[in-house]
Amino acid sequence: MTRVLEFIVALIIVVVFGVVVGLVMPSSGHVERSLVIGKDMRPVYDVLNNFRRFPDYAVLRSYDPRTQFKWSGKAYGPGAEVSWESSDSDAKAGHGKLTIASAEPRFDKIDTTARNAQIVWNLDNDWRGKDKHFTFDLERQGSRGQLTKVTWSYDVAYGFNLIDRYSNLYIHGNPDAFIQFSLNNLQNVLATVPNVDYGKLIPYIRQTKPTPVLFVSTQIARKDGLAALDDAIATAVKQIQDAAKKLGVNVTGPRIVFTTNYGDQNYSFDVALPIDADHLTVAGQDHALTAPQPPKLEEAAPAAASSSGDAAQSAGVEPGSQDRFGRLVVDGNVRAMLAFGGPALEAPWNGSAAGVPPTRDMLKAYAQTHGYKYDEVTYRSYDIETAQGDNVNTFSRYEVYLPLLGDVPEQTPEQEAGLPQPTLEPASSSSAPAPAASAAPAAGQGG
């Protein structure tokens, strides 16, 4: 009996000691890790202010490659949500949900003068504690402000729950590892984003309609400049107009240029004109125009190969047949297809054609940081010249498009915020894009 009493007394002492220690332990937990990333603050801010790239850098799929993600709420900014579920009950990934609680300052205030920014994610998962959240503190660094220090921290409140307080002993386990591995992955994801400043761009998502076009593939040496570009476009337009006359169809809009390959030495592209017929009679047969399709693996080749002026002849295709993208061959140089159709990211440029490639690069960088998918092999970026100018007294106007694939939001953050695209006014230079008109013609995916 005495030993039983001794055991009970010892047990009470242990319990009391455990309670006292638990009360002494902190009522909250905090862990943080920092990394300097070789990117301007804006792309870092954008990647963290939406969850569309989250699976690419979060460590969750390293724990379980079959982890499933589901997006809800807004596409960008406070209110955006992502949840995940691991298919392996023993995996560290588990299940949970993140919600963007705040982002300061607003995205359009993240310019070269912004030194700091902060984004907060609320966390709901099976880790112990309440009021769990991640905080991202961004600080501009570097002599030219081209670096961003990212401090990713985790905070949790334990209150008077003693078990939760004891869990603080393990805060350097899962929470710390999640931050450290994900932060390293974030750096790798951002390394793939083009190093261009798109801060002044005001892109919109345009829903486009399928449009029949005739086009000619061509190529110029970049060293020959804008004069060679103008000559190549004029030659292609003349060929298309002659083909349209023979086919008995009418041209219905301005010229379109689909970029195939903007290389260091050469620029390969397709010049197209929209027409008023989606069925053409070629070689005595009626053909319904279709959208381009990805080439089969055995037919796949570098995209530039399809842009030489004699592509149809070198491939041995005859009028009335289809090339490897499923586009109708009208004659040796002219082909036809159903272009566009679907969402496209669009931004305008006022100035000479020299400003179109930088605008195109900005759209790609913007798409990558916002999680918009695109495929330039089949659905190529393109521009439409909607107004011609002499670029001395008046400026030309181009609307540059990047076709998007998969799940695409209805609007960009700029659209949701009501930021207008400026009208056609003189641009500050011909080497950096200046947004133009708020209205754009229906246009989208093309091959």
Side-chain angles (χ1 to χ4, degrees):
M1 185 66 179
T2 301
R3 292 193 175 185
V4 172
L5 291 175
E6 290 176 349
F7 175 77
I8 293 175
V9 170
L11 182 62
I12 292 174
I13 292 174
V14 171
V15 171
V16 171
F17 180 76
V19 170
V20 172
V21 172
L23 291 174
V24 172
M25 293 185 72
S27 61
S28 62
H30 175 87
V31 63
E32 67 179 45
R33 291 289 181 266
S34 297
L35 184 66
V36 176
I37 297 177
K39 286 291 179 183
D40 186 72
M41 186 184 294
R42 176 64 189 272
V44 179
Y45 178 97
D46 282 339
V47 168
L48 295 173
N49 204 22
N50 75 89
F51 290 123
R52 300 176 72 88
R53 297 300 304 269
F54 180 71
D56 298 330
Y57 62 84
V59 72
L60 297 170
R61 278 189 171 152
S62 297
Y63 296 151
D64 178 9
R66 295 176 294 177
T67 299
Q68 298 296 314
F69 295 89
K70 182 179 180 181
W71 292 266
S72 56
K74 295 182 62 178
Y76 180 93
E81 299 176 348
V82 65
S83 58
W84 67 91
E85 183 77 32
S86 173
S87 59
D88 185 353
S89 59
D90 296 327
K92 291 183 180 180
H95 64 276
K97 180 181 179 180
L98 286 167
T99 303
I100 297 180
S102 63
E104 297 292 338
R106 200 174 77 161
F107 69 90
D108 56 325
K109 304 300 182 182
I110 306 295
D111 54 21
T112 55
T113 65
R115 306 302 303 176
N116 301 92
Q118 185 181 84
I119 299 171
V120 178
W121 295 353
N122 288 339
L123 172 64
D124 180 11
N125 69 347
D126 56 3
W127 294 347
R128 305 292 304 189
K130 299 180 180 179
D131 190 25
K132 296 171 289 187
H133 57 274
F134 291 121
T135 302
F136 299 89
D137 289 297
L138 310 183
E139 179 185 354
R140 188 183 297 277
Q141 293 189 347
S143 59
R144 296 184 300 159
Q146 296 293 314
L147 306 177
T148 303
K149 180 182 179 181
V150 181
T151 300
W152 187 338
S153 60
Y154 169 69
D155 292 277
V156 56
Y158 300 123
F160 288 99
N161 188 312
L162 300 186
I163 296 178
D164 286 353
R165 288 193 178 197
Y166 272 101
S167 71
N168 190 58
L169 296 172
Y170 304 98
I171 197 169
H172 290 285
N174 276 348
D176 195 2
F178 181 95
I179 291 175
Q180 187 63 65
F181 287 114
S182 298
L183 190 56
N184 290 334
N185 292 342
L186 175 65
Q187 179 176 237
N188 295 334
V189 166
L190 284 163
T192 65
V193 178
N195 278 318
V196 293
D197 179 10
Y198 60 78
K200 296 182 180 180
L201 206 67
I202 304 181
Y204 280 11
I205 291 176
R206 305 291 190 184
Q207 297 297 327
T208 69
K209 298 180 180 180
T211 302
V213 300
L214 296 175
F215 70 95
V216 168
S217 298
T218 188
Q219 176 177 286
I220 63 169
R222 287 188 57 187
K223 64 180 179 62
D224 294 337
L226 295 181
L229 177 65
D230 291 340
D231 289 344
I233 290 176
T235 299
V237 167
K238 179 65 168 57
Q239 292 177 354
I240 295 170
Q241 290 173 335
D242 291 343
K245 185 175 181 180
K246 292 180 181 178
L247 292 168
V249 298
N250 299 308
V251 172
T252 60
R255 73 104 180 109
I256 307 160
V257 170
F258 294 95
T259 294
T260 301
N261 182 37
Y262 193 73
D264 293 334
Q265 303 297 324
N266 298 316
Y267 175 32
S268 303
F269 54 97
D270 297 338
V271 180
L273 291 176
I275 57 176
D276 60 357
D278 56 10
H279 283 70
L280 297 179
T281 301
V282 179
Q285 298 292 324
D286 181 71
H287 299 271
L289 301 186
T290 59
Q293 300 297 321
K296 297 179 181 178
L297 291 178
E298 61 270 19
E299 299 174 349
S306 67
S307 291
S308 61
D310 60 350
Q313 295 171 335
S314 63
V317 292
E318 298 294 335
S321 63
Q322 294 183 334
D323 66 9
R324 64 192 183 92
F325 289 97
R327 303 170 300 192
L328 177 65
V329 177
V330 176
D331 58 33
N333 293 324
V334 181
R335 304 184 189 186
M337 66 178 175
L338 202 60
F340 316 150
L345 190 64
E346 177 266 336
W349 157 250
N350 300 329
S352 74
V356 172
T359 306
R360 187 167 56 240
D361 289 341
M362 291 181 184
L363 287 176
K364 294 176 186 177
Y366 184 98
Q368 291 185 35
T369 59
H370 289 71
Y372 305 157
K373 297 180 180 179
Y374 60 91
D375 170 20
E376 288 193 287
V377 174
T378 306
Y379 307 108
R380 301 168 186 161
S381 58
Y382 59 94
D383 62 271
I384 302 175
E385 186 181 36
T386 58
Q388 286 188 336
D390 58 16
N391 294 315
V392 176
N393 299 310
T394 59
F395 285 85
S396 297
R397 171 181 168 183
Y398 300 88
E399 291 172 353
V400 187
Y401 292 83
L402 180 67
L404 302 177
L405 305 175
D407 180 25
V408 179
E410 293 184 0
Q411 295 182 317
T412 63
E414 286 77 4
Q415 283 174 285
E416 290 185 353
L419 300 180
Q421 293 179 318
T423 56
L424 182 60
E425 295 177 353
S428 59
S429 72
S430 62
S431 60
S438 58
Q445 298 173 353

